[in-house]
Every structure is written in C-alpha cells, then in structure tokens.
Amino acid sequence: MLSDVTLKPQGDGKVERLVVILHGLGDSASGIIGLGESMRPYLPNTEFVAVNAPAPCDFSPFGYQWFSGEDWSPDAVLSGVKKAAKPLNDYLDQLMASRNLTSDKVALLGFSQGTMMSLYVAPRREKPFAGVLGYSGALIGGETLKFERKSSPPIMLIHGTSDEVVPFGALYAAVQGLQSVNINVMAFPCQGLGHSIDDAGLTQGVRFLRQVFRI
C-alpha cells in the first residue's frame, strides 16, 4: 500500500468525509499536506490524507513521482499514468475500507501530476467520487475516455494563466475533453499565476469541496 500523511479533523470531529491529496512531480505527501491545513477549518469532520506517489523521483532524492518527468511525449506520459493507476486505485479502495466510507464521501485533490492522475482514475471507477479538484494539471487519456468512462464525478480545474510548467491551454483542453463525455466540469483561471496555488484558487477550491460535500 502506498505511504501517506494524515490530517485528522480539528477538535473531536468524527470523520464523515475524506479528501485525498495527490502531489506533483518531485514533491511528497509531507510536502503537500499543508494544503489540507489551509482547507481544514472550512471543511468540518473531514480527514485529509496526502499520499506519496509509488516511485522515487528521477531528479529529487527526497521526492516522488507518479510517472517519469524525463519523457513528456504523449505515449510515455499515458503509459506512466496507466502504470501508476493500479497502485493508486488499490490504495483508494483500502483507504475507504479502513474508514468505512463510500465513494460519495471522498474527493480527490490533485496538483500537477496529481491532477493528471485524478482525472485519469476518477471517471474510470465504477462508483463516482464526491468530486475532483485539480490544480495546474492536464487531461491524460482523453481520447479513450468515451469508451472507458464508468462514472461522472463533478470536477473543478484551477490553473494559472502564466504556468511555466503545464501550459495554461491544458486547462481548456481538459474542459473540452471532459465535457465531450458529459462530465460536469468547471474552470477557474488564476490571472498571472505560475505553476502554483494562490489565495483565489484556494478559495475557489474550498467552495467547490463544500458544495460537493453538501456542507
């Protein structure tokens, strides 16, 4: 099972829902769990779990990767995403079973590579998640999604207009690909932002999670 870092609800709140955070290339669960710290006050009774990707990063001795960043050709990226999807799906199944939570009480939150993994895995699962919140990512495998989609979770994508790592155009390409298979997707561009998350994006993300969790 993949390793993770857990952030329990504030106070003595019972865990009623779960946000699973998937980090970007070269990052780690401990590096991204701060995102959960920022959101936790607005999402009561919610546990945040950041998970480490299955492979050590090619260029960072302390980071992880969902797939290699050395070859960004479409075929290589799709192959890497498919390979990582199996351990991620197994992890998600075990995580929900250990918390006795159903898919509708779980949201995926991704950044960069983590968003790519979330957008690949979530619609191909039989039971829909409460939602998928993706920052600075892209839709991988969109060409086959109409044949492979099994569920349609609501999705919100947030992306900086000055992203120097994953081009801003990936936002609307993802929106078009997801809408083409009748998935409800919202987009929020962050003006002038690079490959990062700003306060405006954080606020929109929290609003989306509260909406899909019906808080």
Side-chain angles (χ1 to χ4, degrees):
M1 184 171 172
L2 301 177
S3 58
D4 56 33
V5 175
T6 298
L7 190 63
K8 296 290 186 181
Q10 290 180 325
D12 298 323
K14 177 186 176 184
V15 175
E16 296 178 356
R17 56 191 72 88
L18 183 64
V19 175
V20 182
I21 307 176
L22 308 182
H23 64 74
L25 177 64
D27 202 354
S28 65
S30 59
I32 203 170
I33 194 63
L35 190 55
E37 289 275 13
S38 299
M39 293 181 166
R40 184 166 59 160
Y42 309 100
L43 294 161
N45 304 110
T46 303
E47 180 179 9
F48 292 83
V49 179
V51 53
N52 286 311
C57 183
D58 291 330
F59 58 82
S60 171
F62 303 108
Y64 298 84
Q65 63 188 24
W66 296 99
F67 54 89
S68 175
E70 295 183 343
D71 184 353
W72 283 93
S73 65
D75 287 346
V77 172
L78 179 58
S79 176
V81 169
K82 285 182 175 180
K83 183 178 179 181
K86 177 63 166 63
L88 178 56
N89 274 312
D90 290 345
Y91 168 84
L92 291 168
D93 290 340
Q94 294 175 48
L95 187 66
M96 288 188 292
S98 68
R99 270 63 170 182
N100 195 28
L101 291 173
T102 51
S103 295
D104 61 316
K105 301 297 183 184
V106 179
L108 300 186
L109 192 172
F111 178 77
S112 196
Q113 271 199 356
T115 295
M116 298 175 196
M117 292 303 306
S118 299
L119 293 180
Y120 185 84
V121 165
R124 290 171 171 83
R125 290 177 64 93
E126 292 284 352
K127 297 181 179 179
F129 287 120
V132 176
L133 172 59
Y135 291 93
S136 306
L139 178 65
I140 308 301
E143 304 82 6
T144 58
L145 191 54
K146 64 180 178 180
F147 306 112
E148 298 170 351
R149 181 183 60 82
K150 297 178 181 177
S151 62
S152 302
I155 294 172
M156 180 162 207
L157 301 177
I158 300 174
H159 209 125
T161 60
S162 299
D163 195 322
E164 69 283 5
V165 178
V166 180
F168 175 64
L171 170 64
Y172 290 108
V175 169
Q176 184 177 18
L178 293 165
Q179 288 181 339
S180 72
V181 293
N182 299 316
I183 292 178
N184 180 18
V185 55
M186 295 172 281
F188 183 79
C190 294
Q191 296 299 323
L193 182 69
H195 197 61
S196 184
I197 301 172
D198 63 6
D199 289 342
L202 185 66
T203 298
Q204 290 295 325
V206 167
R207 187 174 298 166
F208 171 76
L209 291 174
R210 286 177 59 88
Q211 177 183 344
V212 298
F213 282 139
R214 294 180 171 83
I215 296 175

